[in-house]
Amino acid sequence: MRIIESLASQGAEAVILGCTEIGMLVNQTDTEVELLDTTYIHAQKAVECAI
Protein backbone atom coordinates (compact mmCIF):
# COMPACT_ATOMS: atom_id res chain seq x y z
CA MET A 1 0.00 0.00 0.00
CA ARG A 2 2.92 2.35 0.68
CA ILE A 3 4.18 1.83 -2.85
CA ILE A 4 0.74 2.38 -4.39
CA GLU A 5 0.19 5.57 -2.40
CA SER A 6 3.71 6.76 -3.26
CA LEU A 7 3.04 6.24 -6.94
CA ALA A 8 -0.27 8.09 -6.64
CA SER A 9 1.42 11.03 -4.94
CA GLN A 10 3.80 11.18 -7.91
CA GLY A 11 0.86 11.40 -10.33
CA ALA A 12 0.01 7.78 -11.13
CA GLU A 13 -3.64 7.44 -12.12
CA ALA A 14 -3.66 3.64 -11.98
CA VAL A 15 -1.50 0.74 -10.81
CA ILE A 16 -1.12 -2.52 -12.72
CA LEU A 17 -1.24 -5.58 -10.48
CA GLY A 18 1.00 -7.69 -12.71
CA CYS A 19 1.58 -10.60 -10.34
CA THR A 20 -1.10 -13.26 -9.93
CA GLU A 21 -0.96 -13.14 -6.12
CA ILE A 22 -1.13 -9.35 -5.68
CA GLY A 23 -4.83 -9.26 -6.57
CA MET A 24 -5.52 -11.47 -3.58
CA LEU A 25 -3.76 -9.03 -1.25
CA VAL A 26 -4.87 -5.63 -2.54
CA ASN A 27 -8.47 -4.72 -3.37
CA GLN A 28 -9.96 -1.65 -4.98
CA THR A 29 -11.57 -0.79 -1.63
CA ASP A 30 -8.06 -0.38 -0.17
CA THR A 31 -7.18 2.66 -2.31
CA GLU A 32 -8.65 5.40 -4.47
CA VAL A 33 -6.06 4.70 -7.18
CA GLU A 34 -7.48 2.56 -9.98
CA LEU A 35 -6.14 -0.99 -9.76
CA LEU A 36 -5.77 -3.06 -12.92
CA ASP A 37 -5.56 -6.74 -12.02
CA THR A 38 -4.03 -8.52 -15.02
CA THR A 39 -5.22 -11.95 -13.87
CA TYR A 40 -8.82 -10.71 -13.72
CA ILE A 41 -8.51 -8.89 -17.05
CA HIS A 42 -7.12 -11.99 -18.78
CA ALA A 43 -9.88 -14.18 -17.33
CA GLN A 44 -12.58 -11.72 -18.46
CA LYS A 45 -11.18 -11.62 -21.99
CA ALA A 46 -10.95 -15.43 -22.12
CA VAL A 47 -14.62 -15.71 -21.19
CA GLU A 48 -15.57 -13.07 -23.77
CA CYS A 49 -13.67 -14.94 -26.50
CA ALA A 50 -15.27 -18.24 -25.52
CA ILE A 51 -18.80 -16.91 -25.94
Side-chain angles (χ1 to χ4, degrees):
M1 290 308 305
R2 283 192 322 258
I3 294 169
I4 291 172
E5 296 308 322
S6 174
L7 291 169
S9 72
Q10 296 175 54
E13 296 178 14
V15 173
I16 296 171
L17 306 179
C19 175
T20 56
E21 291 82 14
I22 286 283
M24 292 186 279
L25 300 172
V26 180
N27 296 308
Q28 190 59 68
T29 57
D30 297 327
T31 181
E32 292 184 17
V33 178
E34 182 178 4
L35 300 177
L36 303 170
D37 185 344
T38 58
T39 301
Y40 178 79
I41 293 168
H42 280 101
Q44 286 291 100
K45 292 299 176 183
V47 170
E48 288 175 18
C49 289
I51 296 176

Coordinates of all heavy atoms in Angstrom, one line a residue:
M1 N 0.8 -1.2 0.0 CA 0.0 0.0 0.0 C 0.9 1.3 0.0 O 0.5 2.2 -0.6 CB -0.9 0.0 1.2 CG -2.1 -1.1 1.1 SD -3.0 -1.0 -0.4 CE -3.6 0.6 -0.5
R2 N 2.0 1.2 0.7 CA 2.9 2.4 0.7 C 3.4 2.7 -0.7 O 3.5 3.8 -1.1 CB 4.1 2.1 1.6 CG 3.9 2.2 3.0 CD 5.2 2.3 3.9 NE 6.2 1.4 3.3 CZ 6.5 0.2 3.9 NH1 5.9 -0.2 4.9 NH2 7.4 -0.5 3.3
I3 N 3.7 1.6 -1.5 CA 4.2 1.8 -2.9 C 3.1 2.4 -3.7 O 3.3 3.4 -4.5 CB 4.7 0.5 -3.4 CG1 6.0 0.1 -2.7 CG2 5.0 0.7 -4.9 CD1 6.4 -1.3 -3.0
I4 N 1.9 1.9 -3.6 CA 0.7 2.4 -4.4 C 0.5 3.8 -4.1 O 0.3 4.7 -5.0 CB -0.5 1.5 -4.2 CG1 -0.3 0.1 -4.8 CG2 -1.8 2.2 -4.7 CD1 -1.4 -0.9 -4.4
E5 N 0.4 4.2 -2.8 CA 0.2 5.6 -2.4 C 1.3 6.5 -2.8 O 1.1 7.6 -3.2 CB -0.1 5.7 -0.9 CG -1.3 4.9 -0.5 CD -2.6 5.3 -1.2 OE1 -2.8 6.5 -1.6 OE2 -3.4 4.4 -1.5
S6 N 2.6 6.0 -2.8 CA 3.7 6.8 -3.3 C 3.6 7.1 -4.7 O 3.8 8.2 -5.2 CB 5.0 6.0 -3.0 OG 6.1 6.7 -3.5
L7 N 3.2 6.0 -5.5 CA 3.0 6.2 -6.9 C 1.9 7.2 -7.2 O 2.0 8.1 -8.1 CB 2.7 4.9 -7.6 CG 3.9 3.9 -7.7 CD1 3.4 2.5 -8.1 CD2 5.0 4.4 -8.6
A8 N 0.8 7.2 -6.5 CA -0.3 8.1 -6.6 C 0.2 9.5 -6.3 O -0.2 10.4 -7.0 CB -1.4 7.7 -5.7
S9 N 1.0 9.7 -5.3 CA 1.4 11.0 -4.9 C 2.4 11.6 -6.0 O 2.5 12.8 -6.1 CB 2.1 11.0 -3.6 OG 3.4 10.4 -3.6
Q10 N 2.9 10.7 -6.8 CA 3.8 11.2 -7.9 C 3.0 11.4 -9.2 O 3.6 11.6 -10.3 CB 4.9 10.2 -8.1 CG 5.9 10.1 -6.9 CD 6.9 9.0 -7.1 OE1 7.6 9.0 -8.1 NE2 6.9 8.0 -6.2
G11 N 1.7 11.2 -9.2 CA 0.9 11.4 -10.3 C 0.3 10.2 -11.0 O -0.4 10.3 -12.0
A12 N 0.6 9.0 -10.5 CA 0.0 7.8 -11.1 C -1.5 7.8 -11.0 O -2.1 8.1 -10.0 CB 0.6 6.5 -10.5
E13 N -2.2 7.5 -12.1 CA -3.6 7.4 -12.1 C -4.2 6.0 -11.9 O -5.3 5.8 -11.6 CB -4.2 8.0 -13.4 CG -3.8 9.5 -13.6 CD -4.3 10.1 -14.9 OE1 -5.1 9.4 -15.6 OE2 -3.9 11.2 -15.2
A14 N -3.3 5.0 -12.1 CA -3.7 3.6 -12.0 C -2.4 2.8 -11.7 O -1.3 3.3 -11.9 CB -4.3 3.1 -13.2
V15 N -2.6 1.6 -11.1 CA -1.5 0.7 -10.8 C -1.9 -0.6 -11.4 O -3.0 -1.1 -11.2 CB -1.3 0.6 -9.3 CG1 -0.2 -0.4 -9.0 CG2 -0.8 2.0 -8.7
I16 N -0.9 -1.2 -12.1 CA -1.1 -2.5 -12.7 C -0.7 -3.6 -11.7 O 0.5 -3.5 -11.2 CB -0.3 -2.7 -14.0 CG1 -0.9 -1.7 -15.1 CG2 -0.4 -4.1 -14.5 CD1 0.0 -1.6 -16.3
L17 N -1.6 -4.5 -11.4 CA -1.2 -5.6 -10.5 C -0.8 -6.7 -11.4 O -1.6 -7.5 -11.8 CB -2.4 -6.0 -9.6 CG -3.1 -4.8 -8.8 CD1 -4.3 -5.4 -8.0 CD2 -2.1 -4.2 -7.9
G18 N 0.5 -6.8 -11.7 CA 1.0 -7.7 -12.7 C 1.4 -9.1 -12.2 O 1.8 -9.9 -13.0
C19 N 1.2 -9.3 -10.9 CA 1.6 -10.6 -10.3 C 0.3 -11.3 -9.9 O -0.6 -10.7 -9.4 CB 2.5 -10.4 -9.1 SG 2.9 -11.9 -8.2
T20 N 0.2 -12.6 -10.2 CA -1.1 -13.3 -9.9 C -1.5 -13.2 -8.5 O -2.7 -13.2 -8.2 CB -1.0 -14.7 -10.4 OG1 0.1 -15.4 -9.7 CG2 -0.9 -14.8 -11.9
E21 N -0.6 -13.1 -7.5 CA -1.0 -13.1 -6.1 C -1.3 -11.8 -5.6 O -2.0 -11.7 -4.6 CB 0.2 -13.7 -5.3 CG 0.4 -15.2 -5.5 CD 1.3 -15.5 -6.7 OE1 1.9 -14.5 -7.3 OE2 1.3 -16.6 -7.2
I22 N -0.9 -10.7 -6.2 CA -1.1 -9.4 -5.7 C -2.6 -9.0 -5.6 O -3.1 -8.4 -4.7 CB -0.4 -8.3 -6.6 CG1 1.1 -8.3 -6.3 CG2 -1.0 -6.9 -6.4 CD1 1.5 -7.7 -5.0
G23 N -3.4 -9.5 -6.6 CA -4.8 -9.3 -6.6 C -5.5 -9.9 -5.4 O -6.6 -9.5 -5.0
M24 N -4.9 -10.9 -4.8 CA -5.5 -11.5 -3.6 C -5.2 -10.7 -2.3 O -5.8 -10.8 -1.3 CB -5.0 -12.9 -3.4 CG -5.5 -13.8 -4.5 SD -5.1 -15.6 -4.2 CE -3.4 -15.6 -4.8
L25 N -4.2 -9.8 -2.4 CA -3.8 -9.0 -1.2 C -4.3 -7.6 -1.2 O -4.5 -7.0 -0.2 CB -2.2 -9.0 -1.2 CG -1.5 -10.3 -1.1 CD1 0.0 -10.1 -1.2 CD2 -1.8 -11.0 0.2
V26 N -4.5 -7.0 -2.4 CA -4.9 -5.6 -2.5 C -6.2 -5.6 -3.3 O -6.3 -6.2 -4.4 CB -3.8 -4.8 -3.3 CG1 -4.2 -3.4 -3.4 CG2 -2.5 -4.9 -2.6
N27 N -7.2 -4.9 -2.7 CA -8.5 -4.7 -3.4 C -8.7 -3.3 -3.7 O -8.1 -2.4 -3.1 CB -9.6 -5.2 -2.4 CG -9.4 -6.7 -2.1 OD1 -9.4 -7.5 -3.0 ND2 -9.4 -7.0 -0.9
Q28 N -9.6 -3.0 -4.6 CA -10.0 -1.6 -5.0 C -10.5 -0.8 -3.8 O -10.3 0.4 -3.7 CB -11.0 -1.6 -6.1 CG -11.2 -0.3 -6.7 CD -9.9 0.3 -7.3 OE1 -9.4 -0.2 -8.3 NE2 -9.4 1.4 -6.7
T29 N -11.1 -1.5 -2.8 CA -11.6 -0.8 -1.6 C -10.4 -0.3 -0.7 O -10.7 0.5 0.2 CB -12.5 -1.7 -0.8 OG1 -11.8 -2.9 -0.5 CG2 -13.8 -2.0 -1.6
D30 N -9.2 -0.8 -1.0 CA -8.1 -0.4 -0.2 C -7.5 1.0 -0.6 O -6.7 1.6 0.2 CB -6.9 -1.4 -0.2 CG -7.4 -2.8 0.3 OD1 -8.2 -2.8 1.3 OD2 -6.9 -3.8 -0.2
T31 N -7.8 1.4 -1.8 CA -7.2 2.7 -2.3 C -8.1 3.4 -3.3 O -9.0 2.7 -3.9 CB -5.8 2.3 -3.0 OG1 -5.2 3.5 -3.5 CG2 -6.0 1.4 -4.1
E32 N -7.9 4.6 -3.5 CA -8.7 5.4 -4.5 C -8.0 5.3 -5.8 O -8.6 5.6 -6.9 CB -8.8 6.9 -4.0 CG -9.6 7.0 -2.8 CD -9.8 8.5 -2.4 OE1 -9.6 9.4 -3.3 OE2 -10.2 8.8 -1.3
V33 N -6.8 4.9 -5.9 CA -6.1 4.7 -7.2 C -6.7 3.5 -7.9 O -6.9 2.5 -7.3 CB -4.5 4.5 -6.9 CG1 -3.8 4.3 -8.3 CG2 -4.0 5.6 -6.2
E34 N -6.9 3.7 -9.2 CA -7.5 2.6 -10.0 C -6.5 1.4 -10.0 O -5.3 1.6 -10.3 CB -7.8 3.0 -11.4 CG -8.4 1.9 -12.2 CD -8.8 2.3 -13.6 OE1 -8.5 3.5 -14.0 OE2 -9.4 1.5 -14.3
L35 N -7.0 0.2 -9.7 CA -6.1 -1.0 -9.8 C -6.5 -1.8 -11.0 O -7.7 -2.1 -11.2 CB -6.3 -1.8 -8.5 CG -5.9 -1.1 -7.2 CD1 -6.2 -2.1 -6.0 CD2 -4.5 -0.7 -7.2
L36 N -5.5 -2.2 -11.7 CA -5.8 -3.1 -12.9 C -5.1 -4.4 -12.7 O -3.9 -4.6 -12.7 CB -5.1 -2.4 -14.2 CG -5.6 -1.0 -14.5 CD1 -4.8 -0.3 -15.5 CD2 -7.1 -1.0 -14.8
D37 N -6.0 -5.4 -12.3 CA -5.6 -6.7 -12.0 C -5.4 -7.6 -13.3 O -6.5 -7.9 -13.9 CB -6.5 -7.4 -11.1 CG -6.1 -8.7 -10.6 OD1 -5.2 -9.4 -11.2 OD2 -6.7 -9.2 -9.6
T38 N -4.2 -7.8 -13.7 CA -4.0 -8.5 -15.0 C -4.6 -9.9 -15.0 O -5.1 -10.4 -16.1 CB -2.5 -8.6 -15.4 OG1 -1.8 -9.2 -14.4 CG2 -2.0 -7.2 -15.6
T39 N -4.6 -10.6 -13.9 CA -5.2 -12.0 -13.9 C -6.7 -11.9 -14.1 O -7.3 -12.6 -14.9 CB -5.0 -12.6 -12.5 OG1 -3.6 -12.7 -12.3 CG2 -5.6 -14.0 -12.4
Y40 N -7.4 -10.9 -13.5 CA -8.8 -10.7 -13.7 C -9.1 -10.3 -15.2 O -10.0 -10.8 -15.8 CB -9.3 -9.7 -12.7 CG -10.8 -9.4 -12.9 CD1 -11.8 -10.2 -12.4 CD2 -11.2 -8.2 -13.6 CE1 -13.1 -10.0 -12.6 CE2 -12.6 -8.0 -13.8 CZ -13.5 -8.8 -13.3 OH -14.8 -8.6 -13.5
I41 N -8.3 -9.4 -15.7 CA -8.5 -8.9 -17.1 C -8.4 -10.0 -18.1 O -9.2 -10.2 -19.0 CB -7.5 -7.7 -17.4 CG1 -7.9 -6.5 -16.5 CG2 -7.6 -7.4 -18.9 CD1 -6.8 -5.4 -16.5
H42 N -7.3 -10.9 -17.9 CA -7.1 -12.0 -18.8 C -8.3 -13.0 -18.7 O -8.7 -13.5 -19.7 CB -5.8 -12.7 -18.5 CG -4.6 -12.0 -19.0 ND1 -3.8 -11.2 -18.3 CD2 -4.1 -12.0 -20.3 CE1 -2.8 -10.7 -19.0 NE2 -3.0 -11.2 -20.3
A43 N -8.8 -13.3 -17.5 CA -9.9 -14.2 -17.3 C -11.1 -13.6 -18.0 O -11.9 -14.4 -18.7 CB -10.1 -14.4 -15.9
Q44 N -11.4 -12.4 -17.8 CA -12.6 -11.7 -18.5 C -12.5 -11.9 -20.0 O -13.5 -12.2 -20.6 CB -12.7 -10.3 -18.1 CG -13.2 -10.0 -16.7 CD -14.6 -10.4 -16.5 OE1 -14.9 -11.4 -16.0 NE2 -15.5 -9.5 -16.9
K45 N -11.3 -11.6 -20.5 CA -11.2 -11.6 -22.0 C -11.3 -13.1 -22.5 O -11.9 -13.3 -23.6 CB -9.8 -11.0 -22.4 CG -9.8 -9.5 -22.2 CD -10.9 -8.8 -23.0 CE -10.9 -7.4 -22.8 NZ -11.9 -6.7 -23.5
A46 N -10.8 -14.0 -21.7 CA -10.9 -15.4 -22.1 C -12.4 -15.8 -22.2 O -12.8 -16.5 -23.1 CB -10.2 -16.3 -21.1
V47 N -13.2 -15.4 -21.2 CA -14.6 -15.7 -21.2 C -15.3 -15.0 -22.4 O -16.1 -15.7 -23.1 CB -15.3 -15.3 -19.9 CG1 -16.8 -15.3 -19.9 CG2 -14.7 -16.1 -18.7
E48 N -15.0 -13.8 -22.6 CA -15.6 -13.1 -23.8 C -15.3 -13.8 -25.1 O -16.1 -13.9 -25.9 CB -15.1 -11.6 -23.8 CG -15.6 -10.7 -22.7 CD -15.0 -9.4 -22.7 OE1 -14.4 -9.0 -23.8 OE2 -15.0 -8.7 -21.7
C49 N -14.1 -14.3 -25.3 CA -13.7 -14.9 -26.5 C -14.3 -16.3 -26.6 O -14.5 -16.8 -27.7 CB -12.1 -15.1 -26.6 SG -11.3 -13.5 -26.8
A50 N -14.7 -16.9 -25.5 CA -15.3 -18.2 -25.5 C -16.7 -18.2 -25.9 O -17.3 -19.2 -26.3 CB -15.1 -18.9 -24.2
I51 N -17.4 -17.0 -25.7 CA -18.8 -16.9 -25.9 C -19.1 -16.7 -27.4 O -18.5 -16.1 -28.2 CB -19.4 -15.8 -25.1 CG1 -19.3 -16.1 -23.6 CG2 -20.8 -15.5 -25.5 CD1 -19.7 -15.0 -22.7

